[in-house]
Coordinates of all heavy atoms in Angstrom, one line a residue:
Q518 N 14.7 -0.7 19.1 CA 14.8 0.3 17.9 C 13.4 0.6 17.5 O 12.8 -0.2 16.9 CB 15.7 -0.2 16.8 CG 15.7 0.7 15.6 CD 16.1 2.1 15.9 OE1 17.1 2.4 16.6 NE2 15.4 3.1 15.3
C519 N 13.0 1.8 17.7 CA 11.6 2.2 17.4 C 11.4 3.1 16.2 O 10.4 3.0 15.5 CB 10.9 2.9 18.6 SG 10.7 1.7 20.0
E520 N 12.4 3.9 15.9 CA 12.2 4.7 14.7 C 12.3 3.9 13.4 O 13.2 3.0 13.4 CB 13.3 5.8 14.6 CG 13.0 6.8 13.4 CD 14.1 7.9 13.2 OE1 15.1 7.9 14.0 OE2 13.9 8.7 12.4
P521 N 11.5 4.1 12.4 CA 10.3 5.0 12.5 C 9.1 4.3 13.0 O 8.3 5.0 13.7 CB 10.1 5.3 11.0 CG 10.7 4.1 10.3 CD 11.8 3.6 11.1
E522 N 8.9 3.0 12.8 CA 7.6 2.4 13.2 C 7.8 1.1 13.9 O 7.1 0.1 13.7 CB 6.7 2.2 11.9 CG 6.4 3.5 11.3 CD 5.5 3.4 10.0 OE1 5.5 2.3 9.4 OE2 4.8 4.4 9.8
Y583 N 8.5 6.9 18.7 CA 9.7 6.5 18.0 C 11.0 6.9 18.8 O 12.0 6.3 18.6 CB 9.8 7.1 16.6 CG 10.3 8.5 16.4 CD1 11.7 8.7 16.3 CD2 9.5 9.6 16.4 CE1 12.3 9.9 16.2 CE2 10.1 10.9 16.2 CZ 11.5 11.0 16.1 OH 12.0 12.3 16.0
L584 N 10.8 7.7 19.8 CA 12.0 8.1 20.6 C 12.0 7.3 22.0 O 12.9 7.5 22.8 CB 11.9 9.6 21.0 CG 12.2 10.5 19.7 CD1 12.0 12.0 20.1 CD2 13.7 10.3 19.2
F656 N 22.7 -3.9 15.1 CA 22.0 -2.7 14.9 C 21.9 -2.4 13.4 O 22.9 -2.5 12.7 CB 22.7 -1.5 15.6 CG 21.9 -0.3 15.8 CD1 20.9 -0.4 16.8 CD2 22.0 0.9 15.1 CE1 20.1 0.7 17.1 CE2 21.2 1.9 15.4 CZ 20.2 1.9 16.4
N657 N 20.7 -2.1 12.9 CA 20.5 -1.9 11.5 C 21.2 -0.7 10.9 O 21.6 -0.7 9.8 CB 19.0 -1.8 11.1 CG 18.3 -3.2 11.2 OD1 19.0 -4.2 11.1 ND2 17.0 -3.2 11.3
M658 N 21.3 0.3 11.7 CA 21.8 1.6 11.3 C 23.1 2.0 12.0 O 23.7 1.1 12.6 CB 20.8 2.7 11.5 CG 19.5 2.4 10.7 SD 19.6 2.8 9.0 CE 19.7 4.6 9.1
G659 N 23.4 3.2 12.1 CA 24.6 3.7 12.8 C 24.3 3.9 14.3 O 25.0 3.4 15.2
A660 N 23.3 4.7 14.5 CA 22.9 5.1 15.9 C 21.5 5.7 16.0 O 21.0 6.1 14.9 CB 23.9 6.0 16.5
M661 N 21.0 5.8 17.2 CA 19.6 6.3 17.3 C 19.5 7.3 18.5 O 20.0 6.9 19.6 CB 18.7 5.1 17.5 CG 17.2 5.4 17.7 SD 16.5 6.3 16.3 CE 15.3 7.3 17.2
E662 N 18.8 8.3 18.3 CA 18.7 9.5 19.2 C 17.6 9.4 20.3 O 17.2 10.4 20.8 CB 18.5 10.7 18.4 CG 17.1 10.9 17.8 CD 17.0 10.5 16.3 OE1 17.8 9.6 15.9 OE2 16.1 11.0 15.6
N663 N 17.2 8.2 20.7 CA 16.2 8.1 21.7 C 16.4 9.1 22.9 O 17.5 9.2 23.4 CB 16.2 6.7 22.3 CG 16.3 5.6 21.3 OD1 15.5 5.5 20.4 ND2 17.4 4.9 21.3
I668 N 21.0 4.9 21.5 CA 21.5 3.5 21.3 C 22.4 3.5 20.0 O 22.0 4.1 19.0 CB 20.4 2.5 21.2 CG1 19.6 2.5 22.5 CG2 20.9 1.1 20.8 CD1 18.5 1.5 22.6
N670 N 25.2 1.5 17.4 CA 25.9 0.4 16.8 C 27.3 0.5 17.5 O 28.0 1.5 17.5 CB 26.0 0.7 15.3 CG 26.7 -0.5 14.6 OD1 27.6 -1.1 15.1 ND2 26.2 -0.8 13.4
Y673 N 30.4 2.4 16.4 CA 30.5 3.9 16.5 C 30.6 4.4 18.0 O 30.4 5.5 18.3 CB 29.3 4.6 15.8 CG 29.2 4.3 14.4 CD1 28.2 3.6 13.8 CD2 30.4 4.6 13.6 CE1 28.2 3.3 12.4 CE2 30.4 4.3 12.2 CZ 29.3 3.7 11.6 OH 29.3 3.4 10.3
N688 N 34.6 9.4 12.6 CA 33.3 9.0 12.5 C 32.5 8.8 13.8 O 31.4 9.3 13.9 CB 33.2 7.6 11.8 CG 32.8 7.7 10.4 OD1 32.0 8.5 10.1 ND2 33.3 6.7 9.6
S691 N 31.6 12.2 15.0 CA 30.5 12.9 14.3 C 29.2 12.2 14.6 O 28.2 12.9 14.5 CB 30.9 13.1 12.8 OG 30.6 11.9 12.1
I692 N 29.2 10.9 14.8 CA 27.9 10.3 15.0 C 27.4 10.5 16.4 O 26.2 10.8 16.6 CB 28.0 8.8 14.6 CG1 28.3 8.6 13.1 CG2 26.7 8.0 15.0 CD1 28.4 7.2 12.6
I693 N 28.3 10.5 17.4 CA 28.0 10.9 18.7 C 27.4 12.3 18.7 O 26.3 12.6 19.3 CB 29.2 10.9 19.6 CG1 29.8 9.5 19.8 CG2 28.9 11.6 21.0 CD1 29.5 8.8 21.1
A694 N 28.0 13.2 18.0 CA 27.5 14.6 17.8 C 26.1 14.6 17.2 O 25.2 15.2 17.7 CB 28.5 15.5 17.0
H695 N 26.0 13.9 16.1 CA 24.7 13.9 15.4 C 23.6 13.5 16.3 O 22.6 14.2 16.4 CB 24.9 12.9 14.2 CG 23.6 12.8 13.4 ND1 23.4 13.4 12.2 CD2 22.5 12.0 13.6 CE1 22.2 13.1 11.7 NE2 21.6 12.2 12.5
E696 N 23.8 12.4 17.0 CA 22.6 11.9 17.8 C 22.4 12.8 19.0 O 21.3 13.1 19.3 CB 22.9 10.5 18.3 CG 23.2 9.4 17.2 CD 22.3 9.4 16.1 OE1 21.1 9.8 16.2 OE2 22.7 8.9 15.0
H699 N 20.4 15.8 17.8 CA 19.0 15.6 17.7 C 18.2 15.9 18.9 O 17.0 16.1 18.8 CB 18.8 14.1 17.4 CG 18.7 13.7 16.0 ND1 18.0 14.4 15.0 CD2 19.3 12.6 15.3 CE1 18.2 13.8 13.8 NE2 19.0 12.7 13.9
W711 N 6.2 11.3 8.6 CA 7.5 10.8 8.1 C 7.9 11.4 6.8 O 9.1 11.2 6.4 CB 7.6 9.2 8.2 CG 7.6 8.7 9.5 CD1 6.7 7.9 10.1 CD2 8.6 9.0 10.6 NE1 7.0 7.6 11.4 CE2 8.2 8.3 11.7 CE3 9.7 9.7 10.6 CZ2 8.9 8.4 12.9 CZ3 10.5 9.8 11.8 CH2 10.0 9.1 12.9
L714 N 10.8 13.8 7.2 CA 12.0 13.3 7.8 C 13.3 14.2 7.7 O 14.1 14.4 8.6 CB 12.3 11.9 7.3 CG 13.6 11.2 7.8 CD1 13.4 11.0 9.3 CD2 13.7 9.8 7.1
K717 N 14.3 16.8 10.4 CA 15.3 16.5 11.5 C 16.6 16.0 11.0 O 17.7 16.3 11.5 CB 14.7 15.6 12.6 CG 14.5 14.1 12.2 CD 14.0 13.4 13.4 CE 13.8 11.9 13.1 NZ 15.0 11.0 13.2
E718 N 16.6 15.2 9.9 CA 17.8 14.5 9.5 C 18.7 15.4 8.7 O 19.9 15.5 8.9 CB 17.5 13.2 8.7 CG 16.9 12.1 9.6 CD 17.8 11.7 10.9 OE1 18.9 12.1 11.0 OE2 17.2 11.0 11.7
T721 N 20.1 18.0 11.1 CA 21.1 17.5 12.0 C 22.3 17.1 11.3 O 23.4 17.2 11.9 CB 20.4 16.3 12.8 OG1 19.3 16.8 13.5 CG2 21.4 15.9 13.9
V722 N 22.3 16.6 10.1 CA 23.5 16.3 9.3 C 24.2 17.6 9.1 O 25.5 17.7 9.3 CB 23.2 15.6 8.0 CG1 24.5 15.6 7.1 CG2 22.7 14.2 8.3
D725 N 25.9 18.4 12.3 CA 27.1 17.6 12.6 C 28.3 17.9 11.6 O 29.4 17.9 12.0 CB 26.8 16.1 12.7 CG 26.7 15.3 11.5 OD1 27.6 15.3 10.6 OD2 25.7 14.6 11.3
M745 N 31.0 12.3 -0.4 CA 30.0 11.4 0.0 C 28.7 11.7 -0.8 O 28.0 10.8 -1.3 CB 29.8 11.6 1.5 CG 28.5 11.1 2.0 SD 28.8 9.6 2.9 CE 27.9 10.1 4.4
I770 N 8.5 3.2 4.8 CA 9.2 4.4 5.2 C 10.7 4.1 5.5 O 11.6 4.9 5.3 CB 8.5 5.1 6.4 CG1 9.3 6.4 6.8 CG2 8.3 4.2 7.6 CD1 9.4 7.4 5.7
N771 N 10.9 2.9 6.0 CA 12.3 2.5 6.2 C 13.2 2.7 5.0 O 14.5 2.9 5.1 CB 12.4 1.0 6.7 CG 12.2 0.9 8.1 OD1 12.9 1.6 8.9 ND2 11.3 0.1 8.5
Y774 N 15.3 6.5 4.5 CA 16.4 7.0 5.2 C 17.6 7.0 4.3 O 18.4 6.1 4.3 CB 16.7 6.2 6.5 CG 15.6 6.5 7.5 CD1 14.3 5.9 7.4 CD2 15.9 7.3 8.6 CE1 13.3 6.2 8.3 CE2 14.9 7.6 9.5 CZ 13.6 7.0 9.4 OH 12.6 7.3 10.3
Y779 N 19.1 12.8 3.8 CA 20.1 13.1 4.7 C 21.1 14.2 4.0 O 21.2 15.3 4.5 CB 20.9 11.9 5.1 CG 20.3 11.2 6.3 CD1 19.1 10.5 6.1 CD2 21.0 11.1 7.5 CE1 18.5 9.8 7.2 CE2 20.4 10.4 8.5 CZ 19.2 9.7 8.4 OH 18.7 9.0 9.5
E780 N 21.8 13.7 3.0 CA 22.9 14.5 2.5 C 22.4 15.7 1.7 O 22.9 16.8 1.8 CB 23.9 13.7 1.8 CG 25.1 13.2 2.6 CD 24.7 12.2 3.7 OE1 23.9 11.3 3.4 OE2 25.2 12.3 4.8
Q1216 N 14.9 -4.8 6.3 CA 15.5 -3.4 6.2 C 16.9 -3.5 5.6 O 17.3 -2.7 4.7 CB 15.7 -2.8 7.6 CG 14.8 -1.7 7.9 CD 15.1 -1.0 9.2 OE1 16.2 -0.5 9.4 NE2 14.3 -1.2 10.2
R1220 N 18.2 -2.1 1.7 CA 19.3 -1.2 1.6 C 20.4 -1.7 0.8 O 21.0 -1.0 0.0 CB 19.8 -0.9 3.1 CG 20.5 0.4 3.2 CD 20.7 0.7 4.7 NE 19.5 1.4 5.1 CZ 19.4 2.7 5.0 NH1 20.3 3.4 4.4 NH2 18.3 3.4 5.4
Ligands
BES577 N1 17.4 8.7 13.5 C1 18.5 8.1 12.9 C2 18.6 6.6 13.2 C3 17.7 5.7 12.5 C4 17.1 6.0 11.3 C5 17.4 4.5 13.1 C6 16.2 5.1 10.7 C7 16.5 3.6 12.5 C8 15.9 3.9 11.3 C9 19.9 8.6 13.4 O1 19.8 9.9 13.9 C10 20.8 8.7 12.2 O2 20.5 9.5 11.3 N2 21.8 7.9 12.1 C11 22.7 7.7 11.0 C12 24.0 8.2 11.3 C13 24.1 9.7 11.2 C14 25.5 10.2 11.7 C15 23.8 10.3 9.9 C16 22.7 6.3 10.7 O3 22.3 5.5 11.6 O4 23.2 5.9 9.7

Side-chain angles (χ1 to χ4, degrees):
Q518 172 54 42
C519 292
E520 184 181 5
E522 297 182 334
Y583 86 85
L584 290 172
F656 201 74
N657 283 342
M658 302 280 289
M661 176 64 208
E662 71 265 25
N663 317 298
I668 296 182
N670 187 322
Y673 296 119
N688 251 333
S691 79
I692 298 185
I693 296 256
H695 177 98
E696 306 311 337
H699 268 314
W711 292 118
L714 182 58
K717 74 175 178 81
E718 294 302 348
T721 305
V722 169
D725 82 52
M745 162 109 126
I770 184 57
N771 273 310
Y774 288 76
Y779 276 65
E780 265 68 42
Q1216 247 186 70
R1220 199 165 274 276

